Each structure stands twice: as C-alpha cells, then as structure tokens.
C-alpha cells in the first residue's frame, strides 16, 4: 500500500478491519487467543513501521495531545493509530497506557508538560463508558483544562443511549467536544480545529 502511494489513514483502516476480522475468527473458534495476540502485536508493529515512513522533522509543534484509555480498558490499537496520525500532523503525543490511574496521570502530565491542547479517550467496551464519564466530569471541573478539546471514541458510542451518557446532567453540556466512532471522522474534526 505504501509503494502504491496510499496515505497513513488508508493503511490504518485496512489494519483495523483486519483486527475486527481476527476477532470474528476468534469468536467462531477458528483461531485461538495466541493467534489473536500475535495478530495484535503484528498490527501494533505495523502501525509504528508505517508511521516511521511518514515521519519528518518539524521545527514547531501544534500542541500537546494526550491519548488515554478509560480505566480498565485494554484495547489500545485505535489510540495508537490516532497518536501516529496526530504526530503526522505536527502534534506532540503521549499515550498514557491503561494500567495507571488516568486522572492522576493527566494532571501530572499537565504539571510536567505545561498546556495540554487535546485529550483523546477511547472506550471500546460498554463497561468502560461509566468510568470514562467520571473522568471527563472531573476534567471539565478543573480550570487547568479549560482550553483543552476533548475527543472520545470507540464502538461503544455507536449507541445513541451511550452517547447520551456524555451529556452532563441539568446543564446538558456535553462532556466531550467531539464523539467519534471512526478515525476518518475524527481526523476531519481535528483538521477543522487546526484551520
Ligand atoms: C485485539 C482484541 C483484544 C486484545 C487487545 C490488545 C490490545 N493491545 O489492544 C485483548 C486480548 C487484550 C482483548 C481483551 C478483551 N476483549 Co477484546 N478484542 C480485540 C479485537 C479482536 C480487536 C480490537 C482492535 O484492535 N480493533 C481494531 C481497532 C482499530 O478498532 P476499534 O478499537 O473498534 O477502534 C475503531 C473505532 O472504534 C474508533 N475508535 C476507537 N477508540 C477511539 C478513540 C478516539 C478518540 C477516536 C477518535 C476513535 C476511536 O477508531 C477505530 C478505527 O475506526 C476485538 C474485535 C473487534 N470487533 O474489534 C475484540 C473485542 C473488542 N474484545 C472484546 C472482549 C469481550 C474482550 C474481553 C472482555 C475478553 C475477555 N473475556 O477477557 C477482554 C477485555 C479486556 C479489557 N479489560 O479491555 C469484545 C467487546 C464486546 C463488547 N461490546 O463488550 C470484542 C468486540 C470481541 C467480540 N466480538 O466479542 N481484546
């Protein structure tokens, strides 16, 4: 695909579709957990490898973006892809991982790195949505993040009911500036921000 001139996003879409297909094969019992883990490791390696082909030196950064999994959420492929797409567009990125208290980490990063312009959260499993809502509420209350845009994504948000969970009580103000279930849509939103 790279030799044929496809961009990073197109390659990532194919890798993402492959992951979903691997999941279906696993669900149907055609492959085992070891195959699935091997596939994810290969996909993560490809993401880094593909991104390296597009990397170029930049004198200035567009800002700092933090990418975080909801607590207890182990699915990281989408955020790894998003991190590379943001870097390609000149952002500094930091992936917080999934085994640390997210809010503490975000606050620490704010102290260490200064301004944070963008916060991206992923909730792949429906069970991750409520913990995520709790984190978003605390971030919205924290004046240090007043200027940060918040974008959340993941298949959980395909459901209208789940998207409603992001509406903050009586004020009806959304806890996120943008909700996305795919990277194409997310990149359009981020490009519009940059303009
Ligand atoms: C690989 C995988 C794992 C790996 C993850 C390894 C890793 N390092 O990431 C491991 C083995 C750890 C795992 C564990 C589990 N998994 Co799993 N896993 C998968 C699998 C096969 C692929 C996930 C993936 O990489 N997808 C590719 C990415 C690109 O797709 P995506 O995450 O959906 O993201 C897309 C969009 O949603 C969006 N997006 C997502 N996040 C964000 C965030 C932002 C900001 C934006 C803009 C966009 C965005 O962009 C992406 C591209 O369009 C899926 C199958 C599937 N259908 O996805 C199951 C799947 C997600 N897993 C599932 C389950 C049930 C589990 C387990 C509970 C299994 C178990 N019994 O232990 C555990 C839970 C672990 C946990 N606490 O999180 C279910 C979830 C069902 C559900 N609705 O709850 C799935 C759908 C499989 C299935 N059909 O049952 N899993």
């Amino acid at each position: 695909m790279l030799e044929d001139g496809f961009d990073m996003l197109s390659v990532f879409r194919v890798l993402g579709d492959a992951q979903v297909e691997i999941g279906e094969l696993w669900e149907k019992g055609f492959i085992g957990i070891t195959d699935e883990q091997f596939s994810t490791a290969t996909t993560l390696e490809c993401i880094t490898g593909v991104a390296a082909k597009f990397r170029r030196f930049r004198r200035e950064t567009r800002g700092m973006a933090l990418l975080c999994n909801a607590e207890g959420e182990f699915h990281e492929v989408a955020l790894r892809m998003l991190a590379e797409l943001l870097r390609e567009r000149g952002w500094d990125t930091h992936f917080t991982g999934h085994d640390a208290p997210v809010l503490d980490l975000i606050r620490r990063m704010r102290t260490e790195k200064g301004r944070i312009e963008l916060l991206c959260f992923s909730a792949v499993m429906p069970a991750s949505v409520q913990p995520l809502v709790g984190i978003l509420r605390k971030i919205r209350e924290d004046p240090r993040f007043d200027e940060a845009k918040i974008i959340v994504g993941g298949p959980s948000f395909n459901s209208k009911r789940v998207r409603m969970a992001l509406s903050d009580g009586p004020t009806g103000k959304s806890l996120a500036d943008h909700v996305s279930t795919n990277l194409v849509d997310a990149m359009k939103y981020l490009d519009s921000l940059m303009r």
Side-chain angles (χ1 to χ4, degrees):
M1 286 185 82
L2 292 178
E3 278 171 7
D4 287 341
F6 284 92
D7 63 7
M8 200 192 295
L9 187 53
S10 307
V11 182
F12 286 176
R13 285 173 75 178
V14 173
L15 290 173
D17 288 349
Q19 281 290 101
V20 172
E21 206 172 320
I22 290 284
E24 282 162 12
L25 292 174
W26 175 49
E27 233 182 316
K28 290 178 186 153
F30 291 126
I31 61 167
I33 186 74
T34 322
D35 302 305
E36 194 246 67
Q37 284 177 352
F38 175 71
S39 147
T40 304
T42 307
T43 297
L44 291 172
E45 216 172 285
C46 287
I47 293 170
T48 317
V50 168
K53 303 269 181 217
F54 288 90
R55 199 151 295 152
R56 59 198 160 93
F57 174 75
R58 283 172 196 270
R59 208 169 280 280
E60 282 174 25
T61 157
R62 282 184 191 272
M64 172 53 101
L66 287 193
L67 299 102
C68 321
N69 268 344
E71 245 159 282
E73 176 64 75
F74 290 178
H75 300 93
E76 64 180 299
V77 174
L79 285 185
R80 293 283 182 196
M81 289 176 174
L82 185 56
E84 297 298 356
L85 289 162
L86 286 168
R87 284 175 73 170
E88 190 200 10
R89 284 160 172 76
W91 290 82
D92 272 339
T93 63
H94 187 87
F95 179 61
T96 60
H98 48 66
D99 44 8
V102 181
L103 196 61
D104 287 355
L105 252 172
I106 294 173
R107 286 183 173 144
R108 210 176 77 203
M109 291 293 293
R110 170 69 179 76
T111 312
E112 282 174 14
K113 306 261 179 200
R115 256 168 77 110
I116 288 168
E117 278 84 5
L118 183 64
L119 284 160
C120 307
F121 292 93
S122 180
V124 171
M125 297 195 306
S128 302
V129 174
Q130 269 321 310
L132 177 58
V133 166
I135 291 169
L136 293 178
R137 211 161 262 148
K138 293 214 172 73
I139 290 174
R140 285 296 199 206
E141 285 163 9
D142 189 333
R144 288 174 298 175
F145 296 103
D146 273 355
E147 284 163 22
K149 293 280 179 206
I150 298 178
I151 159 164
V152 302
S156 304
F157 298 103
N158 276 320
S159 144
K160 196 174 167 199
R161 191 183 50 80
V162 173
R163 283 199 302 276
M164 291 286 287
L166 293 171
S167 188
D168 196 19
T171 67
K173 191 175 180 296
S174 180
L175 292 168
D177 295 292
H178 188 73
V179 185
S180 189
T181 52
N182 66 76
L183 294 175
V184 177
D185 165 72
M187 292 328 290
K188 273 191 198 141
Y189 170 73
L190 290 167
D191 287 342
S192 78
L193 272 189
M194 290 177 203
R195 273 198 297 278

